[in-house]
mmCIF file of all heavy atoms in Angstrom:
data_model
loop_
_atom_site.group_PDB
_atom_site.id
_atom_site.type_symbol
_atom_site.label_atom_id
_atom_site.label_comp_id
_atom_site.label_asym_id
_atom_site.label_seq_id
_atom_site.Cartn_x
_atom_site.Cartn_y
_atom_site.Cartn_z
ATOM 1 N N ARG A 147 90.084 142.483 107.371
ATOM 2 C CA ARG A 147 88.709 142.022 107.199
ATOM 3 C C ARG A 147 88.759 140.637 106.579
ATOM 4 O O ARG A 147 89.612 140.351 105.740
ATOM 5 C CB ARG A 147 87.913 142.968 106.308
ATOM 6 C CG ARG A 147 87.687 144.345 106.892
ATOM 7 C CD ARG A 147 86.810 145.179 105.995
ATOM 8 N NE ARG A 147 85.467 144.587 105.854
ATOM 9 C CZ ARG A 147 84.534 145.062 105.018
ATOM 10 N NH1 ARG A 147 84.801 146.111 104.254
ATOM 11 N NH2 ARG A 147 83.357 144.480 104.955
ATOM 12 N N GLN A 148 87.846 139.803 106.996
ATOM 13 C CA GLN A 148 87.781 138.444 106.477
ATOM 14 C C GLN A 148 86.314 138.091 106.245
ATOM 15 O O GLN A 148 85.443 138.520 107.010
ATOM 16 C CB GLN A 148 88.416 137.470 107.488
ATOM 17 C CG GLN A 148 88.706 136.097 106.960
ATOM 18 C CD GLN A 148 89.386 135.231 108.017
ATOM 19 O OE1 GLN A 148 89.023 135.262 109.186
ATOM 20 N NE2 GLN A 148 90.378 134.461 107.609
ATOM 21 N N GLN A 149 86.040 137.334 105.198
ATOM 22 C CA GLN A 149 84.656 136.957 104.899
ATOM 23 C C GLN A 149 84.084 136.181 106.076
ATOM 24 O O GLN A 149 84.676 135.211 106.560
ATOM 25 C CB GLN A 149 84.621 136.111 103.633
ATOM 26 C CG GLN A 149 83.236 135.926 103.062
ATOM 27 C CD GLN A 149 83.287 135.318 101.672
ATOM 28 O OE1 GLN A 149 84.310 134.813 101.238
ATOM 29 N NE2 GLN A 149 82.171 135.378 100.953
ATOM 30 N N VAL A 150 82.925 136.614 106.541
ATOM 31 C CA VAL A 150 82.330 136.065 107.761
ATOM 32 C C VAL A 150 82.125 134.557 107.637
ATOM 33 O O VAL A 150 82.433 133.789 108.560
ATOM 34 C CB VAL A 150 80.999 136.776 108.076
ATOM 35 C CG1 VAL A 150 80.298 136.088 109.251
ATOM 36 C CG2 VAL A 150 81.248 138.242 108.399
ATOM 37 N N GLU A 151 81.602 134.113 106.501
ATOM 38 C CA GLU A 151 81.303 132.685 106.335
ATOM 39 C C GLU A 151 82.573 131.833 106.390
ATOM 40 O O GLU A 151 82.568 130.724 106.943
ATOM 41 C CB GLU A 151 80.587 132.449 105.008
ATOM 42 C CG GLU A 151 79.182 133.039 104.925
ATOM 43 C CD GLU A 151 79.183 134.492 104.455
ATOM 44 O OE1 GLU A 151 80.273 135.096 104.383
ATOM 45 O OE2 GLU A 151 78.090 135.009 104.169
ATOM 46 N N VAL A 152 83.645 132.350 105.816
ATOM 47 C CA VAL A 152 84.903 131.605 105.803
ATOM 48 C C VAL A 152 85.491 131.524 107.213
ATOM 49 O O VAL A 152 85.976 130.474 107.639
ATOM 50 C CB VAL A 152 85.896 132.250 104.815
ATOM 51 C CG1 VAL A 152 87.264 131.602 104.919
ATOM 52 C CG2 VAL A 152 85.375 132.128 103.387
ATOM 53 N N ALA A 153 85.451 132.641 107.943
ATOM 54 C CA ALA A 153 85.943 132.643 109.317
ATOM 55 C C ALA A 153 85.121 131.692 110.192
ATOM 56 O O ALA A 153 85.666 130.981 111.044
ATOM 57 C CB ALA A 153 85.901 134.060 109.889
ATOM 58 N N TRP A 154 83.803 131.668 109.970
ATOM 59 C CA TRP A 154 82.933 130.778 110.724
ATOM 60 C C TRP A 154 83.275 129.311 110.413
ATOM 61 O O TRP A 154 83.333 128.464 111.323
ATOM 62 C CB TRP A 154 81.475 131.053 110.389
ATOM 63 C CG TRP A 154 80.504 130.073 110.995
ATOM 64 C CD1 TRP A 154 79.836 129.074 110.353
ATOM 65 C CD2 TRP A 154 80.108 130.011 112.367
ATOM 66 N NE1 TRP A 154 79.036 128.381 111.224
ATOM 67 C CE2 TRP A 154 79.186 128.926 112.479
ATOM 68 C CE3 TRP A 154 80.427 130.737 113.498
ATOM 69 C CZ2 TRP A 154 78.584 128.580 113.688
ATOM 70 C CZ3 TRP A 154 79.834 130.393 114.714
ATOM 71 C CH2 TRP A 154 78.929 129.324 114.799
ATOM 72 N N ALA A 155 83.532 129.021 109.152
ATOM 73 C CA ALA A 155 83.880 127.647 108.768
ATOM 74 C C ALA A 155 85.153 127.192 109.478
ATOM 75 O O ALA A 155 85.243 126.042 109.920
ATOM 76 C CB ALA A 155 84.052 127.563 107.249
ATOM 77 N N TRP A 156 86.135 128.073 109.597
ATOM 78 C CA TRP A 156 87.372 127.724 110.311
ATOM 79 C C TRP A 156 87.075 127.379 111.776
ATOM 80 O O TRP A 156 87.557 126.365 112.299
ATOM 81 C CB TRP A 156 88.360 128.893 110.226
ATOM 82 C CG TRP A 156 89.643 128.657 110.969
ATOM 83 C CD1 TRP A 156 89.864 128.846 112.306
ATOM 84 C CD2 TRP A 156 90.877 128.165 110.428
ATOM 85 N NE1 TRP A 156 91.156 128.520 112.627
ATOM 86 C CE2 TRP A 156 91.791 128.104 111.499
ATOM 87 C CE3 TRP A 156 91.277 127.808 109.138
ATOM 88 C CZ2 TRP A 156 93.111 127.672 111.315
ATOM 89 C CZ3 TRP A 156 92.586 127.377 108.960
ATOM 90 C CH2 TRP A 156 93.493 127.304 110.041
ATOM 91 N N GLN A 157 86.285 128.203 112.428
ATOM 92 C CA GLN A 157 85.959 127.963 113.835
ATOM 93 C C GLN A 157 85.214 126.645 114.016
ATOM 94 O O GLN A 157 85.479 125.892 114.960
ATOM 95 C CB GLN A 157 85.118 129.121 114.380
ATOM 96 C CG GLN A 157 85.843 130.456 114.432
ATOM 97 C CD GLN A 157 84.923 131.603 114.823
ATOM 98 O OE1 GLN A 157 83.862 131.399 115.420
ATOM 99 N NE2 GLN A 157 85.303 132.816 114.463
ATOM 100 N N ARG A 158 84.284 126.352 113.131
ATOM 101 C CA ARG A 158 83.500 125.130 113.258
ATOM 102 C C ARG A 158 84.346 123.896 112.960
ATOM 103 O O ARG A 158 84.186 122.855 113.594
ATOM 104 C CB ARG A 158 82.298 125.195 112.315
ATOM 105 C CG ARG A 158 81.298 126.269 112.697
ATOM 106 C CD ARG A 158 80.555 125.916 113.977
ATOM 107 N NE ARG A 158 79.584 124.863 113.697
ATOM 108 C CZ ARG A 158 79.458 123.743 114.412
ATOM 109 N NH1 ARG A 158 80.267 123.508 115.438
ATOM 110 N NH2 ARG A 158 78.538 122.857 114.092
ATOM 111 N N ILE A 168 78.759 122.349 108.116
ATOM 112 C CA ILE A 168 79.212 123.742 108.050
ATOM 113 C C ILE A 168 78.639 124.427 106.812
ATOM 114 O O ILE A 168 78.181 125.580 106.873
ATOM 115 C CB ILE A 168 80.753 123.802 108.032
ATOM 116 C CG1 ILE A 168 81.325 123.220 109.322
ATOM 117 C CG2 ILE A 168 81.233 125.245 107.842
ATOM 118 C CD1 ILE A 168 82.832 123.019 109.290
ATOM 119 N N VAL A 172 76.200 127.940 106.731
ATOM 120 C CA VAL A 172 76.490 129.224 106.067
ATOM 121 C C VAL A 172 75.651 129.421 104.809
ATOM 122 O O VAL A 172 75.701 130.484 104.182
ATOM 123 C CB VAL A 172 77.995 129.357 105.737
ATOM 124 C CG1 VAL A 172 78.833 129.287 107.002
ATOM 125 C CG2 VAL A 172 78.444 128.303 104.727
ATOM 126 N N TRP A 174 75.835 127.712 101.898
ATOM 127 C CA TRP A 174 76.585 127.518 100.663
ATOM 128 C C TRP A 174 76.576 126.044 100.290
ATOM 129 O O TRP A 174 76.392 125.168 101.152
ATOM 130 C CB TRP A 174 78.034 127.970 100.822
ATOM 131 C CG TRP A 174 78.243 129.450 100.916
ATOM 132 C CD1 TRP A 174 77.319 130.434 100.706
ATOM 133 C CD2 TRP A 174 79.462 130.102 101.264
ATOM 134 N NE1 TRP A 174 77.888 131.664 100.882
ATOM 135 C CE2 TRP A 174 79.209 131.503 101.227
ATOM 136 C CE3 TRP A 174 80.746 129.668 101.591
ATOM 137 C CZ2 TRP A 174 80.191 132.454 101.524
ATOM 138 C CZ3 TRP A 174 81.722 130.605 101.879
ATOM 139 C CH2 TRP A 174 81.444 131.989 101.843
ATOM 140 N N LEU A 179 81.798 126.406 99.327
ATOM 141 C CA LEU A 179 82.530 126.530 100.591
ATOM 142 C C LEU A 179 83.976 126.113 100.410
ATOM 143 O O LEU A 179 84.902 126.800 100.871
ATOM 144 C CB LEU A 179 81.867 125.672 101.669
ATOM 145 C CG LEU A 179 82.636 125.566 102.997
ATOM 146 C CD1 LEU A 179 82.764 126.931 103.663
ATOM 147 C CD2 LEU A 179 81.943 124.573 103.938
ATOM 148 N N GLU A 186 91.160 131.407 100.853
ATOM 149 C CA GLU A 186 91.623 132.132 102.049
ATOM 150 C C GLU A 186 92.777 131.426 102.744
ATOM 151 O O GLU A 186 93.746 132.068 103.156
ATOM 152 C CB GLU A 186 90.458 132.309 103.031
ATOM 153 C CG GLU A 186 90.829 133.032 104.318
ATOM 154 C CD GLU A 186 91.195 134.500 104.096
ATOM 155 O OE1 GLU A 186 90.720 135.090 103.105
ATOM 156 O OE2 GLU A 186 91.958 135.050 104.912
ATOM 157 N N TYR A 187 92.682 130.095 102.868
ATOM 158 C CA TYR A 187 93.640 129.365 103.703
ATOM 159 C C TYR A 187 94.628 128.508 102.914
ATOM 160 O O TYR A 187 95.656 128.096 103.450
ATOM 161 C CB TYR A 187 92.892 128.488 104.702
ATOM 162 C CG TYR A 187 91.980 129.265 105.616
ATOM 163 C CD1 TYR A 187 90.595 129.075 105.571
ATOM 164 C CD2 TYR A 187 92.490 130.206 106.502
ATOM 165 C CE1 TYR A 187 89.749 129.795 106.409
ATOM 166 C CE2 TYR A 187 91.647 130.927 107.333
ATOM 167 C CZ TYR A 187 90.274 130.715 107.286
ATOM 168 O OH TYR A 187 89.445 131.444 108.106
#
Side-chain angles (χ1 to χ4, degrees):
R147 294 184 63 186
Q148 194 178 41
Q149 193 169 14
V150 173
E151 293 87 350
V152 173
W154 173 255
W156 178 277
Q157 295 173 21
R158 294 290 286 130
I168 297 170
V172 300
W174 289 351
L179 172 63
E186 179 67 26
Y187 301 116

